[in-house]
Amino acid sequence: MSEFERRLRAAMAATAGPAPSGLLEGIRRRHRLYVTRLTAALAVTTTGIAVAVPLAVHGIEGGHGTPRPVTSGLPGPTVPSRPHAGPNTALRDCQNANGGTLSSDWKRQSVHAGPVWFMFARPANGVQKPRPSTVAASALPIAVSNGHTAVVTAAPSVAGRFRFLASFNSANQPYTLSEGKRALKLVGCPAGPTGFDIPASYAPGLTMWWQGYVTNLRGCIPLDVRVPPATKVIRVSLAAPGCKT
Amino acid sequence: MEGAAKLAVTRAVAENSFEEFVAASSGRLFTMARLLTGGNRAEAEDLLQGAYERAYRHWGRICRRSEPERYVRQILVNASVDRLRRLRRRPEVPLLLDLEAGTGDSAGAIEDRDLLVRGLADLPPRQRAVLVLRYFEDLTEAQIAAVLGCTAGTVKSQAARGLARLRAAVDTAEPPGVGASEGNGAR
């Protein structure tokens, strides 16, 4: 060890002094603070999980046509309990509705079946065109009048060739028929005053969704609409390549 | 005295008493904290409290170890390195140490120590930690490497650089009083 190192060692040893008074109290105070923070963090985490799990389950079960910005993590007290979807049925309700503006003449270009609107799906428009492949996925806006419930299925003649997708991200995604649901249950938001002077492009009084589907049909897509409790079936025909109706 | 302190620490562990452990080890660890913080008493106390508090959280497990002081020392060193890294853009202003133990020494010796400890405070955090562990705690290079989580080679190079830097700092700022009373040639 050099002289310099010896000096350094001596200098360090010379700094030795008694521990500060109240050290134990300080440690205990700090520990209480730690426990308080930990408890608070646990409470926040628990609350977060309690909120996130129902939202995640909601997303998995109901899916989302187009991701919707969540404005609040906490469901408000006015949000009703979710309606039951039923077997092999995709559910769309007020909680996963998509907003958005439409062209002002959307009704002219849409297929109307009771309270249900298949928007821009009038065959003459041919707006919704599945890709010419074996199985094609696409999506269309569907709306139902507020306060109404409707169930949509493919017509029995094409039931095995058309499915509703619980969630839809892109037509480029390789969906298969087995991924879809045979039926689609649409539950509109509660009926209520829609306000004055709301432009038609906002589809006032309607609850709207961006609904994905997958099909290997060429031509028109026949769908059956039921509006419970009525048993009457309304058949509509949606646009697809080769549909001349 | 150091052996007595270690014996006291071991006894405290045997009695599973955190308070006794603190009482037995706090003097030495506080001095180390002061060296690591460049003599800043408040910072040192804060660091030490934090290290003890973390040990207190897991005291049931730690006290069963043969050397709980080593655990606290490791927390202390790592916390000081982290703290100094956070403060890297805000250079510290080293404070004069209140060298209670050196009151019987000559003024020149006190100034010399003060100069060395001030120089130590100017070192980068890891170099400072290496020198404190080496010359205050008397740890081997392997032990220092274990505390800092690096290789013995890194410890060696950090110690060499730290010493060289410290020597240069002391040489450039050598107080005339020290040279007059003890002789520059001795160094």
Side-chain angles (χ1 to χ4, degrees):
Chain A
M1 186 176 288
S2 69
E3 173 62 24
F4 183 77
E5 285 171 293
R6 267 192 286 275
R7 278 172 58 199
L8 179 60
R9 187 188 292 271
M12 286 182 180
T15 61
S21 57
L23 180 63
L24 266 174
E25 265 313 298
I27 296 165
R28 290 199 183 101
R29 192 169 48 244
R30 196 181 272 249
H31 187 68
R32 281 196 297 273
L33 188 65
Y34 164 76
V35 171
T36 307
R37 282 179 180 162
L38 188 69
T39 309
L42 279 173
V44 168
T45 307
T46 309
T47 309
I49 290 170
V51 171
V53 167
L55 286 176
V57 170
H58 159 79
I60 290 165
E61 284 180 347
H64 293 274
T66 303
R68 205 159 49 109
V70 178
T71 51
S72 169
L74 291 168
T78 55
V79 175
S81 59
R82 291 211 76 191
H84 181 62
N88 208 3
T89 301
L91 176 69
R92 292 283 178 267
D93 65 2
C94 194
Q95 292 182 42
N96 57 18
N98 302 112
T101 54
L102 310 164
S103 59
S104 57
D105 62 341
W106 65 268
K107 283 189 178 178
R108 268 201 309 114
Q109 301 176 57
S110 302
V111 175
H112 190 205
V116 180
W117 289 89
F118 298 92
M119 294 163 158
F120 308 106
R122 191 173 284 276
N125 295 315
V127 173
Q128 302 299 323
K129 292 181 180 176
R131 293 175 303 151
S133 59
T134 310
V135 176
S138 189
L140 81 164
I142 298 180
V144 69
S145 298
N146 287 345
H148 286 80
T149 295
V151 177
V152 185
T153 55
S157 59
V158 297
R161 304 178 64 187
F162 182 95
R163 292 285 187 277
F164 292 103
L165 291 168
S167 63
F168 177 79
N169 295 319
S170 164
N172 296 321
Q173 206 163 311
Y175 292 101
T176 61
L177 279 167
S178 60
E179 287 178 70
K181 304 280 188 185
R182 286 180 177 274
L184 173 67
K185 186 174 184 178
L186 304 171
V187 183
C189 293
T194 54
F196 299 103
D197 301 325
I198 297 176
S201 57
Y202 285 97
L206 295 178
T207 307
M208 190 166 70
W209 302 271
W210 181 246
Q211 179 60 46
Y213 62 87
V214 59
T215 183
N216 60 8
L217 285 169
R218 296 288 171 271
C220 303
I221 301 171
L223 297 179
D224 289 348
V225 178
R226 292 175 179 79
V227 184
T231 53
K232 182 186 168 190
V233 174
I234 307 168
R235 176 152 302 172
V236 295
S237 188
L238 304 191
C243 182
K244 294 186 171 63
T245 305
Chain B
M1 192 173 131
E2 189 186 325
K6 280 187 177 168
L7 185 66
V9 170
T10 310
R11 194 179 301 132
V13 174
E15 291 169 8
N16 195 14
S17 166
F18 181 74
E19 284 82 357
E20 285 187 34
F21 168 69
V22 172
S25 60
S26 57
R28 184 171 185 80
L29 288 174
F30 181 59
T31 304
M32 196 175 97
R34 286 175 67 193
L35 291 170
L36 289 169
T37 55
N40 189 324
R41 198 180 173 90
E43 288 277 1
E45 193 170 341
D46 187 58
L47 268 186
L48 187 62
Q49 271 189 18
Y52 273 130
E53 193 277 329
R54 281 186 64 183
Y56 187 59
R57 290 180 209 170
H58 314 288
W59 183 242
R61 177 164 49 83
I62 294 165
C63 71
R64 287 195 293 272
R65 295 182 181 182
S66 56
E67 287 185 81
E69 189 177 338
R70 196 172 70 183
Y71 178 85
V72 178
R73 189 171 57 208
Q74 182 153 1
I75 298 173
L76 197 61
V77 171
N78 290 330
S80 77
V81 171
D82 289 347
R83 169 190 158 273
L84 288 172
R85 281 180 179 153
R86 282 199 301 274
L87 294 172
R88 192 176 287 168
R89 292 185 181 178
R90 287 187 293 151
E92 291 173 282
V93 181
L95 300 173
L96 273 171
L97 288 171
D98 44 345
L99 301 172
E100 302 96 338
T103 47
D105 295 341
S106 69
I110 293 171
E111 272 191 271
D112 185 41
R113 288 171 190 164
D114 184 56
L115 198 60
L116 280 163
V117 177
R118 275 170 174 269
L120 189 69
D122 284 339
L123 294 181
R126 280 181 88 83
Q127 287 179 14
R128 190 191 304 183
V130 165
L131 293 188
V132 170
L133 291 170
R134 178 77 190 87
Y135 297 106
F136 181 71
E137 286 288 314
D138 280 326
L139 298 187
T140 63
E141 283 165 358
Q143 287 171 324
I144 296 169
V147 170
L148 291 174
C150 61
T151 63
T154 306
V155 170
K156 210 170 195 170
S157 63
Q158 293 273 357
R161 282 183 205 148
L163 275 177
R165 200 164 162 170
L166 186 58
R167 193 191 300 267
V170 170
D171 284 348
T172 53
E174 196 83 73
V178 175
S181 61
E182 295 181 14
N184 283 327
R187 288 169 215 131

